[in-house]
Amino acid sequence: MLASSLLTAAALAPSAMAQAAAPAPVATDAIAPVPQGKLPDAVIPSAYRLDLSVDPSRTRFGGHVEIDASLKAPSRYVYLHGNGLAMHKATVTVAGKTYEGQWKQVDPSGVALLTFDTELPAGPVTFAFDYDAPFHEGPDGMFHVKVGNDWYSWTQFESVDARAAYPSFDQPGYKQPFTVTLRTPKGLTAVSNAPETSLTHDGEMDVHHFAPTAPLPTYLLAMMVGPFAVVSGEAPPTPQRDHPLPMRIISTKENAGKLTFALDNSKQIVAHLENYFGQSFPYPKLDQITSPIMGGAMENAGADLYQDTLLVLDDHASTRQKREFGMVVGHELAHQWFGDLVTPKWWDDIWLNESFANWMGYRIGNEWRPDLNVAAGALEEGFAAMNTDALLAGRPIHQKIEKSSQVDAAFDSITYGKGGHVVAMIAAFMGDTKFRDGVRGYMAAHRYGNASSAEFFEAMAQASGDPRILPAMQSFTDQQGVPLLTFTGSNGNYTVTQSRYVRLGTKAPAQIWGVPMCVRRGDARVCQLLDTVSGTVQVGGTGALIPNAGGTGYYRFELPKAEWDALIAQSASLTGGEGQALSDSLRASFQAGRASATQMAQLARVMSKNPDSYAADAATVGMESLAASDMLDAKASAAYSAFMGTIFRPQLATLGFTPALGAYSGEAPETSQRRVQTVAQMVSTVKDKAVIATLVKAAHDWLAGDTKALDPSWYGVALRAYMGEHAKGEDGGLETAKALFARALATQDPLARPALLGSLASAGTPKVAGWILADAKDARLRATERLQLVAQVALNKTTRQIGYDFIRDNFDGMLKGGGGIFFATRLPSVISGMCSVKASGDIARDFGAKMAGTPGQLELERAIERVKDCGLLKEARGKQVSMEISKLK
């Protein structure tokens, strides 16, 4: 077939092929303007057939694609999508007659124009394309990676990268079945969304035939090829499903021994999700595939894709890794219903997909393993999002998207953290059963179709029976910012005033939310909707006022000093969510110029004893932010380190510590996580010599071949300690860094490799930083890993300026360097570690023009504002803060 010969020719001479395919100039004077976002509604696709030759060891792939569609009106011109495709032939068949067209990509975002010599009649049409395209090096489009001695390829199409793999009408409002055929070298495994129905042979190629899929948007299509390791099983029938569900975990060969945990536990997660949605898994099989360079995970219908570390684990894995497994698998499998079965009509409703799935991931992960305390992580993510949402540079959750270039920026902490927290808040206020019934009604009404935010809101309003729910939800989704609830009064009688939270030196416009506010004192709890500027609340009980009962409210609070102090004194007994809410609001009060550093220190003393690992970890966040922002002078820095030692040394003495393999296997997850957090503080903050020496010796022995010397839970902290100790030598740790780099490239272990590479920049010396930036290159080093090394240099306080200068001078190359679809939006956070008004101006000068019009533009504006706000706070409060911290005992 044409596909096989195209692949061979393309691999041998891709540049010549692309040149030969270039069409003659096309007159565009009568053509509608090039669409920057939605395509004109002139062509409605109804089915795709893809027949592709995919050899991951080649540089290009190619084949034949057909698209059945309906042409609404006669036309010579058709806009569609294709990004970087070398088009060899493009035709359309109408009423048995075939017309050859001229293909031209007319926009960098991947808009293409098909032009025909004669006008096409309206009605049913079939487009046909013969083309080839390059494999990408980073996790977007169809990408390939060499792992060990073998090549593999995967696809990652969300948001607008399907067009880089096949010609398409690439937008979520079009859902249609896909019939996929993949031609691969013999012996390779091929995976797509639907079950493989047969395997035939064509010369030296295996031909994998897949069943037609259910209706899907282009971004959910999946095609993976390689010599994969596969474990198979079935999820047993459930009350919602009367038949077994075929399931597989698929990964690179090196991970073959650690896939059973994911298979067995995913079965349980599927059952929990079916119970929540009240219906069976919506597709005929479930494959979950891993890639070493995938960042996070992707919900391809029936063929989810994950980063290796999310699925490659066993029963002895760390609490953190198991938590991530439960949350992310719960999130991605929730998408099979909420996102795949029912899909947004356009990208401005993508928040609904991701916010709901984020909430569900934590919820279902917690149902799967309550002992892991997965649910508290949702609140941690939500409170972290408030730091972004508090900026003036920002956006609402529900944002109008008019251009394709704006889509990727919507996948940020506002969509995931804030959105998930708002969903949790509304669900808690409505009641779990009513909220679930609203979700079920929404799913039933739009099954295998598309829906909008308005339709989701309508379903929630109907289920709740409360007309206030709709405007309350929209007040959080349709405007940016964090509500601040200021409480005055005492003894259970309070006046509450709402305003938009801002940091010191910033003014914000007046805003009103419909805030579902829940407060408690002791066992007495009151919930009410605050939808005016001020109101009153009365709550019985005794003890301190807890203004965010359960921590589910997406708001910050301000208290009189006496109420702050009473709440801090009670913080060791708060629930995990309430502890996180207290930590966030107290730090926010400090950043606004109100609370004191002494109050944050007292919170660290008391709440670090909270039995919830999330609350205990949050206890010291405020203090850590002081050190990270360079606000402390030398005397205060020493006092800070000593003070943190008074907190964590006794804890570690109680917990005990040995880094040996399996030393804490079978231990309660919260205890294990508390030890991990404590050891990290003892190394990075307290700089305890004994703990560092223990870790350095364990790392040395592990590197020397004693595999039992170091448990994977300690890889990161131990190797950083090892690198840090060797950085004290005359060469600044350069030879050690080179040795660790070589060791990293020699392994495919999904935990050891990133830990080894991640330790290099921790040397914090100019010699190592310079070597990383100039010479840490190797054919075995993946593009994503190279970019991470550069970022780590810039994130280290002692080499920050070296990294900043390198990124500034090499910006264009880094942006094109295979970092994946979200690299541009993440880059500004790497260069925003400074804390001064001057530095904010430097960032604007050095990167403003470079990032204008890219998905990272908003994130850069946020970074500039963060650096400026930090500088203003340091100027206003730095001396007083250093004085307070210096007095700590």
Side-chain angles (χ1 to χ4, degrees):
M1 289 184 68
L2 180 63
S4 296
S5 62
L6 280 175
L7 177 67
T8 303
L12 291 174
S15 58
M17 182 72 70
Q19 183 178 2
V26 177
T28 59
D29 53 339
I31 306 172
V34 175
Q36 299 299 304
K38 287 184 182 180
L39 294 172
D41 199 21
V43 179
I44 307 298
S46 58
Y48 284 74
R49 291 175 294 281
L50 285 77
D51 188 336
L52 303 184
S53 291
V54 181
D55 181 347
S57 69
R58 300 288 187 94
T59 59
R60 300 176 75 86
F61 62 94
H64 180 79
V65 171
E66 295 180 358
I67 307 173
D68 294 337
S70 175
L71 185 62
K72 282 190 171 183
S75 179
R76 287 181 54 216
Y77 308 106
V78 173
Y79 280 117
L80 72 165
H81 292 114
N83 198 351
L85 309 181
M87 190 60 60
H88 307 285
K89 187 176 183 181
T91 65
V92 63
T93 300
V94 187
K97 184 176 180 180
T98 298
Y99 303 81
E100 187 159 346
Q102 298 177 16
W103 169 281
K104 183 179 182 181
Q105 183 174 335
V106 293
D107 186 83
S109 69
V111 179
L113 177 66
L114 267 180
T115 302
F116 297 90
D117 292 336
T118 59
E119 188 174 73
L120 305 177
V125 301
T126 297
F127 296 97
F129 305 94
D130 295 325
Y131 73 102
D132 69 87
F135 282 109
H136 290 191
E137 303 300 319
D140 54 64
M142 183 176 285
F143 62 98
H144 69 163
V145 171
K146 189 175 186 181
V147 182
N149 295 319
D150 299 302
W151 282 92
Y152 300 81
S153 68
W154 302 263
T155 55
Q156 160 58 33
F157 291 154
E158 191 174 34
S159 55
V160 292
D161 286 303
R163 62 192 66 176
Y166 61 99
S168 55
F169 297 86
D170 187 19
Q171 54 193 53
Y174 296 139
K175 294 183 75 172
Q176 55 279 303
F178 289 80
T179 303
V180 175
T181 299
L182 294 177
R183 300 169 183 273
T184 73
K186 285 188 176 180
L188 298 188
T189 297
V191 182
S192 192
N193 306 83
E196 185 171 350
T197 56
S198 66
L199 176 65
T200 59
H201 307 287
D202 183 6
E204 295 301 312
M205 305 289 277
D206 284 346
V207 185
H208 305 262
H209 305 270
F210 296 89
T213 69
L216 297 176
T218 49
Y219 78 88
L220 289 177
L221 185 64
M223 296 173 284
M224 287 67 164
V225 174
F228 291 110
V230 181
V231 295
S232 304
E234 293 180 333
T238 63
Q240 297 79 27
R241 176 172 35 83
D242 62 5
H243 57 276
L245 175 68
M247 294 179 64
R248 297 187 297 179
I249 306 296
I250 300 170
S251 189
T252 56
K253 291 193 299 188
E254 289 77 4
N255 298 329
K258 288 192 174 183
L259 304 180
T260 303
F261 179 96
L263 179 66
D264 292 343
N265 288 281
S266 292
K267 296 174 186 178
Q268 300 174 38
I269 291 174
V270 168
H272 284 295
L273 285 162
E274 289 179 324
N275 179 62
Y276 185 85
F277 287 113
Q279 57 180 277
S280 66
F281 188 81
Y283 302 103
K285 58 90 175 174
L286 172 60
D287 290 332
Q288 296 183 99
I289 307 103
T290 83
S291 167
I293 69 168
M294 180 66 183
M298 178 61 205
E299 66 270 17
N300 307 309
D304 284 4
L305 180 62
Y306 299 81
Q307 182 184 48
D308 274 356
T309 55
L310 294 170
L311 296 189
V312 182
L313 70 164
D314 57 24
D315 287 321
H316 303 294
S318 68
T319 297
R320 178 179 177 180
Q321 196 178 8
K322 288 177 181 175
R323 282 176 174 174
E324 289 178 345
F325 168 83
M327 183 273 162
V328 178
V329 172
H331 176 121
E332 300 306 328
L333 297 191
H335 269 313
Q336 302 294 300
W337 287 268
F338 213 102
D340 296 6
L341 182 64
V342 180
T343 306
K345 292 179 178 178
W346 179 243
W347 294 112
D348 46 16
D349 285 322
I350 195 63
W351 76 270
L352 193 55
N353 265 20
E354 299 302 338
S355 299
F356 180 84
N358 223 46
W359 175 72
M360 280 294 286
Y362 287 108
R363 176 197 175 97
I364 296 299
N366 209 66
E367 289 184 9
W368 162 66
R369 284 283 301 271
D371 61 319
L372 290 171
N373 193 20
V374 176
L379 301 180
E380 180 184 52
E381 193 170 346
F383 288 120
M386 290 185 187
N387 296 323
T388 297
D389 203 22
L391 301 169
L392 295 184
R395 65 175 189 86
I397 298 174
H398 185 204
Q399 174 191 22
K400 189 170 183 63
I401 291 178
E402 298 177 336
K403 298 180 180 180
S404 295
S405 61
Q406 297 172 321
V407 179
D408 287 349
F411 292 83
D412 63 359
S413 63
I414 300 302
T415 291
Y416 290 90
K418 179 180 181 177
H421 205 142
V422 168
V423 169
M425 178 175 64
I426 297 297
F429 190 77
M430 283 178 60
D432 194 60
T433 299
K434 286 185 177 180
F435 185 81
R436 182 206 64 193
D437 290 347
V439 170
R440 288 180 175 181
Y442 169 79
M443 301 299 297
H446 305 286
R447 186 175 175 85
Y448 293 112
N450 297 88
S452 66
S453 295
E455 289 161 322
F456 177 74
F457 290 147
E458 181 181 352
M460 291 298 106
Q462 290 177 354
S464 71
D466 186 343
R468 301 176 302 164
I469 288 295
L470 178 57
M473 290 181 68
Q474 290 179 315
S475 74
F476 280 90
T477 61
D478 293 353
Q479 62 180 344
Q480 71 178 94
V482 182
L484 175 68
L485 304 190
T486 300
F487 289 76
T488 57
S490 61
N491 299 321
N493 297 291
Y494 302 96
T495 297
V496 188
T497 303
Q498 66 164 297
S499 60
R500 179 172 171 175
Y501 170 81
V502 290
R503 296 185 174 98
L504 182 69
T506 303
K507 292 183 179 181
Q511 291 176 233
I512 296 292
W513 289 263
V515 183
M517 173 183 64
C518 292
V519 303
R520 77 173 178 93
R521 294 176 75 217
D523 294 330
R525 176 185 171 110
V526 173
C527 292
Q528 62 190 57
L529 190 71
L530 180 67
D531 56 4
T532 56
V533 173
S534 64
T536 60
V537 61
Q538 294 180 326
V539 57
T542 59
L545 172 68
I546 300 168
N548 192 346
T552 56
Y554 188 82
Y555 55 84
R556 287 171 163 167
F557 54 82
E558 187 63 58
L559 299 172
K561 185 178 185 302
E563 294 285 351
W564 273 125
D565 292 344
L567 184 54
I568 290 168
Q570 194 177 311
S571 61
S573 61
L574 297 177
T575 69
E578 291 166 348
Q580 291 185 65
L582 168 57
S583 173
D584 173 76
S585 286
L586 183 64
R587 182 165 67 103
S589 179
F590 171 82
Q591 291 174 330
R594 293 184 288 268
S596 68
T598 301
Q599 287 176 302
M600 292 198 295
Q602 182 63 9
L603 180 67
R605 280 194 187 97
V606 179
M607 201 166 76
S608 61
K609 299 181 177 69
N610 192 297
D612 184 280
S613 62
Y614 283 100
D617 203 29
T620 58
V621 167
M623 294 291 286
E624 291 164 20
S625 69
L626 299 180
S629 63
D630 300 326
M631 193 170 292
L632 306 181
D633 60 25
K635 182 180 178 182
S637 294
Y640 163 73
S641 181
F643 170 76
M644 297 290 270
T646 66
I647 294 174
F648 291 109
R649 278 198 182 90
Q651 289 189 13
L652 192 58
T654 299
L655 291 166
F657 173 55
T658 175
L661 179 67
Y664 302 108
S665 181
E667 186 178 48
E670 282 283 271
T671 302
S672 292
Q673 183 60 22
R674 177 64 69 88
R675 182 182 294 104
V676 168
Q677 293 166 185
T678 302
V679 169
Q681 291 283 3
M682 291 292 283
V683 173
S684 63
T685 304
V686 181
K687 297 178 173 54
D688 184 272
K689 292 181 180 179
V691 173
I692 291 172
T694 298
L695 288 166
V696 170
K697 183 180 185 307
H700 175 274
D701 293 346
W702 180 76
L703 290 166
D706 182 359
T707 58
K708 295 182 179 180
L710 191 62
D711 191 88
S713 300
W714 308 110
Y715 281 171
V717 67
L719 290 166
R720 289 193 298 273
Y722 181 84
M723 185 70 252
E725 284 300 293
H726 284 79
K728 297 174 184 178
E730 290 185 6
D731 70 343
L734 181 57
E735 291 306 312
T736 300
K738 291 179 178 180
L740 293 176
F741 182 68
R743 181 69 175 264
L745 298 182
T747 182
Q748 304 301 328
D749 185 294
L751 294 178
R753 183 179 175 114
L756 286 158
L757 290 172
S759 70
L760 304 183
S762 64
T765 65
K767 285 185 178 180
V768 172
W771 170 78
I772 289 173
L773 298 177
D775 299 317
K777 300 172 184 177
D778 189 286
R780 296 167 295 170
L781 185 69
R782 298 158 190 157
T784 52
E785 293 171 332
R786 171 66 186 162
L787 292 171
Q788 287 164 0
L789 285 175
V790 174
Q792 286 159 2
V793 171
L795 290 168
N796 189 306
K797 287 177 68 173
T798 60
T799 57
R800 180 186 295 155
Q801 192 62 48
I802 298 172
Y804 178 96
D805 292 344
F806 181 88
I807 293 171
R808 179 197 62 211
D809 297 341
N810 296 272
F811 178 84
D812 292 340
M814 292 184 67
L815 209 57
K816 300 173 183 177
I821 57 174
F822 301 127
F823 181 73
T825 61
R826 304 296 184 258
L827 186 58
S829 65
V830 174
I831 57 175
S832 63
M834 289 78 80
C835 182
S836 75
V837 175
K838 179 184 180 302
S840 69
D842 292 343
I843 295 172
R845 178 199 65 214
D846 293 339
F847 293 95
K850 296 177 187 291
M851 301 209 75
T854 74
Q857 180 176 341
L858 174 58
E859 206 54 53
L860 180 70
E861 293 169 2
R862 288 168 169 163
I864 293 167
E865 186 176 345
R866 284 191 190 98
V867 173
K868 181 180 180 180
D869 285 352
C870 184
L872 291 172
L873 184 65
K874 184 165 66 173
E875 290 173 3
R877 308 196 70 182
K879 290 183 179 179
Q880 177 63 31
V881 166
S882 286
M883 187 182 304
E884 290 182 46
I885 298 300
S886 296
K887 295 178 181 179
L888 294 176
K889 301 294 183 184

